[in-house]
Amino acid sequence: MIRNLFKKKDPVITFWEWFENHEDELYIFREQDVEKLFGGLNRMIVKVNPQLVFSFIEELIDGKREFTIRAAGIGKNFPDVIRLVDAAPRLDRFSIVAFNQRQDLNNGVNINGIELTRDDVFFTYNQDQKKKNSCLTLYIKGYKGDYDTYFEPVFELLEIVIGEYMLGTKITEIKMEMYDTTEDLLPISDLLNVLVDVKSVM
């Protein structure tokens, strides 16, 4: 009996209770409230998993505000994202989204001084069923071997093209190479179709 009294409350339940208690402020989204509200949301979400992140779309879509919970590109975080989104209460003024979705109308990114569009990146994709490995090799215009500088913009571009979930579940290794020819290469915009057609090795 004493053990039950001190049983820790599920942080997923605590997160959504906090969200519902602040639903009005989150929906109105006043600039002066953002820092306080986001700080509170962050305190709640790190109790579920300290690596989870979230984002809002400021513009309303059909009268609803979109709230996205993301895994920060880390595959082991995916179950917690799904668990958190599946537990969301009915919220008439919010759309709760799991993972960054692909953006068909977005052509590229500009991060760390690196500007990449869909026209700048080509690829090959190989699977090793025995090793359960799927390698995506990217051939990038302007790339000269500076992997660390390119990693973030490349990752963001891939999320735009295929979405966070597919990136985390269909690809286990990413390589970058200097672009010098389109021979035997596919444009990055074709990656989604390629991944849909292949059997997962995960």
Side-chain angles (χ1 to χ4, degrees):
M1 176 65 72
I2 293 177
R3 184 178 299 174
N4 289 336
L5 288 174
F6 290 95
K7 186 176 181 181
K8 189 175 180 181
K9 195 168 187 178
D10 187 343
V12 171
I13 295 174
T14 302
F15 176 87
W16 288 117
E17 286 178 345
W18 190 96
F19 196 103
E20 286 187 289
N21 287 335
H22 296 82
E23 183 179 351
D24 289 342
E25 302 100 300
L26 291 168
Y27 183 78
I28 295 170
F29 209 82
R30 296 186 305 179
E31 186 174 345
Q32 60 265 37
D33 297 332
V34 167
E35 185 175 348
K36 178 182 177 181
L37 288 171
F38 279 21
L41 270 174
N42 188 64
R43 286 192 297 273
M44 294 297 106
I45 204 168
V46 297
K47 293 177 181 179
V48 178
N49 181 324
Q51 294 179 318
L52 297 188
V53 292
F54 61 85
S55 62
F56 283 90
I57 292 182
E58 189 170 353
E59 298 79 14
L60 299 179
I61 302 173
D62 296 328
K64 292 189 174 184
R65 189 171 303 291
E66 188 172 290
F67 176 61
T68 300
I69 299 171
R70 299 158 23 218
I74 302 172
K76 68 179 182 180
N77 295 336
F78 279 36
D80 283 332
V81 171
I82 294 169
R83 186 165 70 98
L84 194 53
V85 171
D86 284 349
R90 178 180 176 84
L91 299 165
D92 293 335
R93 294 181 292 175
F94 288 86
S95 297
I96 310 300
V97 179
F99 308 107
N100 272 347
Q101 304 298 300
R102 72 177 188 270
Q103 303 172 39
D104 294 336
L105 299 180
N106 192 334
N107 190 50
V109 297
N110 190 336
I111 299 174
N112 298 333
I114 303 296
E115 185 174 359
L116 288 179
T117 71
R118 295 172 188 257
D119 296 330
D120 295 324
V121 184
F122 298 81
F123 76 95
T124 57
Y125 179 82
N126 296 293
Q127 282 192 320
D128 187 328
Q129 293 286 351
K130 185 176 293 186
K131 294 181 179 180
K132 293 190 175 182
N133 183 68
S134 50
C135 180
L136 175 67
T137 303
L138 302 174
Y139 299 83
I140 305 168
K141 293 180 180 179
Y143 179 74
K144 297 179 181 178
D146 40 345
Y147 183 92
D148 291 341
T149 303
Y150 270 79
F151 180 80
E152 186 177 355
V154 162
F155 197 90
E156 291 289 333
L157 182 64
L158 288 173
E159 283 199 350
I160 287 171
V161 174
I162 62 174
E164 182 183 8
Y165 184 81
M166 189 162 284
L167 177 57
T169 58
K170 292 285 190 176
I171 300 168
T172 55
E173 183 179 2
I174 297 173
K175 296 180 180 179
M176 300 183 201
E177 301 287 350
M178 185 183 302
Y179 166 88
D180 58 8
T181 178
T182 59
E183 186 176 353
D184 297 325
L185 303 180
L186 293 171
I188 197 65
S189 292
D190 287 353
L191 180 57
L192 178 64
N193 292 332
V194 170
L195 296 179
V196 167
D197 289 340
V198 299
K199 185 178 180 181
S200 176
V201 299
M202 304 297 282

